[in-house]
Amino acid sequence: MGAAAELGDAGRRAVLRAGRSAAGGRWALSALTSVAPPAVPAVEPWKLSVGTLLGRHPRTPAVAHKLLGLLDDYGAVHLGPEKVGFDGQEIDWDKVVEIRTRNAFEVLTTSSLERDVDRIREFLPPVPGRKWAVTKAGEALATVVLAALERGSVEQRLDELTVPARIVHRGGLLGRQHTLDAGSFAAAALVVVGPAAESLIATARQRGIPVLPAEQPVEAERAARVAVLRERTDAVARLLGRIEQGDPEAEGGPAVPPVEAVPLDKAPLDNGPQPHAR
C-alpha cells in the first residue's frame, strides 16, 4: 500500500492544505490512493477512471455498478504494454505515431470540466441509482481536477508542468493520422498521479515512439496566468460544493428511490457495457 498511498498523496495534501474540498469529495482522493500505480514502463494493463473511483465508494449501490463501465467515456486513462488511450478509447501501441505532451495550464480549464459534468448528466440512462451515480461522478471529476489545480498553486507552477495528453495514431483503412486528447479527468489524473504520466512516456520510448514536448508559455504571460489559476481553482471548488450540496442543476435528473448498498467485495468493479471507441 505504500506505493498506492503515494499515488494520491500530492493531490490530497494540496486539497487539504488549501481547505478547498468539501467533506464529501474527499472520498474520491481516498479512492485514488487505493489504486496501485502502474509499472514504469507498463508491464500489464492499467486503468484509472471515474468509474474506478466510483466503484470504490463505500456506499456504491448495486444497481449503480452497472453504470461504471459507461463512465469510462467521460474520464479514464488506459495504459498497458499493448494499448494506450483516454476516455474509453484505446489505441494499439503499434498504431501510435507519437505522444505529445501538453501544458497542464492549457488543458485544465473550468469550461472543459463543466462540459464533462454536463455530458455525464446527459448520457447516463434514467435508471435507479442514476442520480447518485451522476452526483458522485461529478464529485470525482471536480475533486481530481481541483487537486491538480491546487498542485499548480502550491507545489509546482501549472504552466511549467506538462503531461502526455495527446496521442497521434493511424486509423481507418487508409491509415490516416488522428489525434486523441485527454479529457479533464484524464489530464488531471496525469498531473496528480505522477507515476502514470511517467509510465506512459516510458512505455512510448521503450517502443521507439517519439515523445514531443509541449511549447512553453512566454514569460510575459505567466503573471496573468497566476491570477487565472486562482480563479479556476475557486470556480472548481464552488462547483464541487454545489454538487455535494445536492444542487439539482449540478446533479441533474429526477430523484430516484434509494437502493440498498452492497459491500464492494460482493459486486465487481467496472462491470457493465463497455463504451465504443469514438
Side-chain angles (χ1 to χ4, degrees), residues 63-71 74 119-134 251-254 256 272-273:
V63 176
H65 277 280
K66 297 180 180 180
L67 303 176
L68 300 187
L70 299 176
L71 291 171
Y74 307 101
R119 291 172 66 209
I120 289 175
R121 184 169 65 239
E122 294 167 0
F123 178 79
L124 289 183
V127 298
R130 174 190 182 274
K131 184 178 180 181
W132 186 94
V134 167
E251 289 182 5
V256 296

Side-chain angles (χ1 to χ4, degrees), residues 232-256:
R232 289 183 189 175
T233 305
D234 292 343
V236 173
R238 289 193 297 269
L239 174 62
L240 177 58
R242 290 200 305 272
I243 293 171
E244 292 174 358
Q245 291 167 14
D247 185 341
E249 183 178 347
E251 289 182 5
V256 296

Side-chain angles (χ1 to χ4, degrees), residues 82-86 90-101 166-172 174-180 200-201 203-213:
E82 303 297 331
K83 295 183 178 182
V84 65
F86 304 122
E90 295 183 81
I91 308 298
D92 291 337
W93 275 112
D94 290 341
K95 295 182 179 179
V96 176
V97 176
E98 62 192 27
I99 299 293
R100 298 178 185 172
T101 63
R166 174 169 289 173
I167 300 168
V168 182
H169 62 96
R170 296 185 299 274
L174 300 179
R176 293 177 179 173
Q177 289 191 7
H178 303 271
T179 59
L180 175 61
L200 198 159
I201 291 174
T203 305
R205 288 175 172 161
Q206 183 184 57
R207 299 180 67 95
I209 297 170
V211 178
L212 303 184

Side-chain angles (χ1 to χ4, degrees), residues 184-235:
S184 56
F185 175 89
L190 290 170
V191 170
V192 177
V193 184
E198 294 169 12
S199 181
L200 198 159
I201 291 174
T203 305
R205 288 175 172 161
Q206 183 184 57
R207 299 180 67 95
I209 297 170
V211 178
L212 303 184
E215 293 184 3
Q216 292 297 313
V218 298
E219 191 66 34
E221 297 175 342
R222 288 183 173 173
R225 288 181 179 226
V226 172
V228 173
L229 176 58
R230 289 307 333 164
E231 291 173 2
R232 289 183 189 175
T233 305
D234 292 343

